[in-house]
Amino acid sequence: MVNGPVEQIRKVELGAGGPLVGVQGFGAMGISAAYGDTDDAAARETLEATVEAGVTLIDTADMYGVGANEEFLAPFVAAHRDEITLATKFGIEYRADDPNYRAIRNDPGYIKKAVEASLRRLNVEVIDLYYMHRRDPAVPLAESVGAMGELVREGKVKYLGLSEVTGAELHEAHAVHPITALQTEWSVFSRDVERSAVGAAAELGVAFVPYSPLGRGFLTGAFTDAGKELSGSDFRQLLPRYTGDNAKANAALLEPLHEIAAEHGATTAQIALAWVQQRAEVHGLAVVPIPGTRKRSRLLENAAATRIVLSAEQLAVLEPIAGQVAGERYADMSLTSAARED
């Protein structure tokens, strides 16, 4: 395992004119939501390790735990406000009093209410990076991004981001207000973003922030079949590629990661992250993945992956994997950028 003493990771500009952040960020969703029961003390220890390792882009969303994730982060944010770049998102509306309710909201009125609620829960005066989490095609993109731009002018938000948009949509939005970062799933298992979004981001100087770069733990070997091994409250049971026959077929695709990991004295997680990090050189743009974990040891392990460089031969071995993956990223792909590609 590539680990050892804690070493600060290098920094990169998050998009043209964006903030300087660690080249790997932290996805905070799982520390208090989505992946079953949590240990608050361990989660807070993990958060402290982000600062120790130079992992400064901290990512959450108002939908994670219906606001609870933002509230959980607030004490950490208060203690380290000048050391971190805080990102949150709006656009997927849940209601605590109705577990079956979900809506996609991009209308300007909703955006104004959402940002105020996030500012209150996070206990901050300004959000560093504010994303539109999912796109509602029924609302003109110019209206949504225009309303987001107004938040920048009001001093409530510093930079704007989008999630799960196509290359054409990124161009359209960037013409209304500069977009700093694009966040979409991207990993050795998931590469649909390369159809148009990655190229558009590179052209516009927009940073790419890959979520789930570890395949929600599947690429690490944390589980082999979500339906059999994970708790009933773990939403990975709902993801087609991680259950049943799909999971069995996809587990066989991990053998090259194991082999390359052995060559580097690393873990499969570190190899998967190194692959994502090297997309920066392949595509010519800033790439800041946001793996999540509840354990300090895993956080430091993930950060150490930024020092691994895969050879051209190793990259070639990993190249065909995504095309062989069984099952979609979500049971319902209608809200992803892939569903709107021409």
Side-chain angles (χ1 to χ4, degrees), residues 66 111 149 322:
V66 196
I111 294 171

Side-chain angles (χ1 to χ4, degrees), residues 21 27 38 40 54 72 77 90 105 107 113 124 140 147 151 163 174 183 191 202 210 221 245 289 292 322:
V21 300
T38 62
D40 285 0
F72 184 86
V77 172
F90 75 89
R105 298 286 302 274
D107 54 284
K113 291 190 294 185
V124 295
L151 301 180
S163 180
H174 197 75
Q183 181 179 142
R191 298 180 60 179
D245 290 341

